Amino acid sequence: MSLEKIEVLLREKGYKLTEQRRLILAILQSNSVPHTAQEVYDLVKLAYSNINFSTIYRNLELMSELGIVDKMNLKSGVSHFEINDREEHHHHVICKGCGETKAIDFCPYKMINNEELDKLGFSATEHKFEIYGFCNKCNAK
Amino acid sequence: MSLEKIEVLLREKGYKLTEQRRLILAILQSNSVPHTAQEVYDLVKLAYSNINFSTIYRNLELMSELGIVDKMNLKSGVSHFEINDREEHHHHVICKGCGETKAIDFCPYKMINNEELDKLGFSATEHKFEIYGFCNKCNAK
DNA sequence: AATATAAATGCAAATGATTTGCAAAAAGGA
DNA sequence: TCCTTTTTGCAAATCATTTGCATTTATATT
Ligand SMILES: [Mn+2]
Ligand SMILES: [Mn+2]
Ligand SMILES: [Zn+2]
Ligand SMILES: [Zn+2]
């Protein structure tokens, strides 16, 4: 999603595009991998030393409600946030050594047959698929 | 896994099968769905009112390291623990209304072709797959 | 440009889940 | 029974995240 599109989306709902929001988005857009709130905070702080943690959290939360970012609970229990660029969602491979993540294109949800869910009387809204392991760097050690 | 097997497994590693551990296991075995530490605590407390939270946490953690229970981070960020009965692992459907979970047999990992992971230079150790939505009860409301 | 109003921020304190240090208690073997 | 090691309960600490509130900022209106 382009910054312009995001701005429109915010405006529509009565939200404003502040400097802080711009910076948070810039971070997320520059490297499209999942970041923790802490990581976003540290990086934003370089350009805007007065930034506060609650601003980071409030905005990541807001943007994830608006669908601008994806919020995900990886193994650790700490939330990770990633910009929602592509029109197709994707899943990840996560290194337990260094934390590096890579996108994978395979989506298991497309494989599942809806009868199985119907049988359970369940209407699905979302799903999560992640593979954990070690990247080649961490494997070598 | 039977209680006897579990006891052997603990003993082998120099651990003891205490009353508290027995009770925690009994809870997890009686209803084989994911429970939070809080839920386990509340239920154990009925039979052993002096039980402490740290005992619950320490043991759930230990048992998950030993593979006796599965520890999972569902959407909420609160850890859930489930006994590791079956010899085949399984995945879950989780109701966002009432929190009820149901097992599903479909495992996406079996579908993925290893070339894709090899290309990423990644050696996989585990994976997570969950479907979120609403059960028929919660849907009706 | 000055003013008005709602939204956003920084700060400090609260929260909730989980972890830790430590002294006392319990388990199991000698 | 005695000894050694593990386990427990308790209280306090930690870590991520959230909240209340006074102040500041963004933007629309005059
Ligand atoms: Mn991604
Ligand atoms: Mn299950
Ligand atoms: Zn998918
Ligand atoms: Zn699987």
Side-chain angles (χ1 to χ4, degrees):
Chain A
M1 227 184 304
S2 68
L3 189 59
E4 293 79 49
K5 255 192 169 174
I6 292 173
E7 179 156 10
V8 170
L9 214 158
L10 288 170
R11 286 248 155 76
E12 276 174 354
K13 311 265 181 179
Y15 299 118
K16 299 165 182 177
L17 184 51
T18 61
E19 177 68 4
Q20 290 93 329
R21 281 179 186 158
R22 247 183 253 278
L23 288 164
I24 293 172
L25 284 165
I27 301 294
L28 295 180
Q29 273 172 328
S30 65
N31 34 6
S32 156
V33 293
H35 284 295
T36 62
Q38 177 75 57
E39 288 163 356
V40 175
Y41 173 78
D42 290 340
L43 289 166
V44 171
K45 207 166 173 67
L46 297 177
Y48 194 105
S49 66
N50 201 37
I51 191 76
N52 190 268
F53 240 117
S54 52
T55 303
I56 302 287
Y57 271 110
R58 275 192 279 237
N59 284 316
L60 289 173
E61 193 60 37
L62 173 70
M63 292 178 189
S64 88
E65 277 158 19
L66 298 179
I68 298 167
V69 316
D70 283 340
K71 178 182 184 177
M72 48 189 93
N73 289 100
L74 304 183
K75 194 147 226 287
S76 64
V78 193
S79 292
H80 285 66
F81 303 85
E82 176 180 57
I83 194 97
N84 190 355
D85 296 284
R86 339 193 184 182
E87 69 279 348
E88 281 285 309
H89 77 272
H90 62 278
H91 300 281
H92 296 94
V93 153
I94 298 123
C95 176
K96 294 193 292 181
C98 63
E100 192 194 2
T101 68
K102 283 184 179 163
I104 45 178
D105 287 323
F106 174 77
C107 171
Y109 192 72
K110 287 171 188 142
M111 305 277 109
I112 211 167
N113 81 1
N114 284 36
E115 286 173 41
E116 181 151 15
L117 293 181
D118 288 347
K119 225 186 311 169
L120 294 172
F122 206 88
S123 63
T125 57
E126 58 216 284
H127 61 277
K128 183 192 276 193
F129 176 53
E130 284 142 23
I131 299 179
Y132 296 88
F134 294 95
C135 70
N136 43 18
K137 254 181 271 161
C138 291
N139 237 336
K141 286 168 196 165
Chain B
M1 226 184 305
S2 69
L3 189 59
E4 293 79 50
K5 257 193 169 174
I6 292 173
E7 178 154 13
V8 170
L9 214 157
L10 288 170
R11 285 249 155 77
E12 276 174 355
K13 311 266 179 176
Y15 299 118
K16 300 166 182 176
L17 184 51
T18 60
E19 178 68 3
Q20 290 93 328
R21 283 179 183 157
R22 247 183 252 278
L23 288 165
I24 292 171
L25 285 165
I27 301 292
L28 295 180
Q29 273 171 329
S30 65
N31 33 5
S32 155
V33 292
H35 284 295
T36 62
Q38 175 74 58
E39 287 164 355
V40 175
Y41 173 78
D42 290 341
L43 289 166
V44 171
K45 206 164 172 70
L46 298 176
Y48 193 103
S49 66
N50 202 37
I51 192 76
N52 188 269
F53 240 116
S54 52
T55 304
I56 302 287
Y57 273 108
R58 274 192 281 238
N59 284 316
L60 289 174
E61 193 60 37
L62 173 70
M63 292 179 189
S64 86
E65 277 157 19
L66 297 180
I68 298 167
V69 315
D70 284 341
K71 178 183 184 177
M72 47 188 95
N73 289 100
L74 303 184
K75 194 145 226 287
S76 64
V78 193
S79 293
H80 285 67
F81 303 85
E82 176 180 59
I83 194 97
N84 190 356
D85 295 284
R86 337 193 185 182
E87 70 279 347
E88 281 285 310
H89 77 271
H90 62 279
H91 300 280
H92 296 94
V93 154
I94 299 124
C95 177
K96 294 194 291 181
C98 62
E100 192 195 2
T101 69
K102 283 183 178 165
I104 46 179
D105 288 324
F106 175 76
C107 171
Y109 192 73
K110 287 170 189 144
M111 304 277 109
I112 211 165
N113 81 359
N114 283 35
E115 287 174 39
E116 180 149 18
L117 293 181
D118 288 348
K119 227 185 310 170
L120 295 172
F122 205 90
S123 63
T125 57
E126 59 216 283
H127 61 277
K128 185 192 278 195
F129 177 52
E130 284 142 23
I131 299 179
Y132 297 88
F134 294 94
C135 71
N136 44 18
K137 255 182 269 160
C138 290
N139 238 335
K141 284 169 199 166

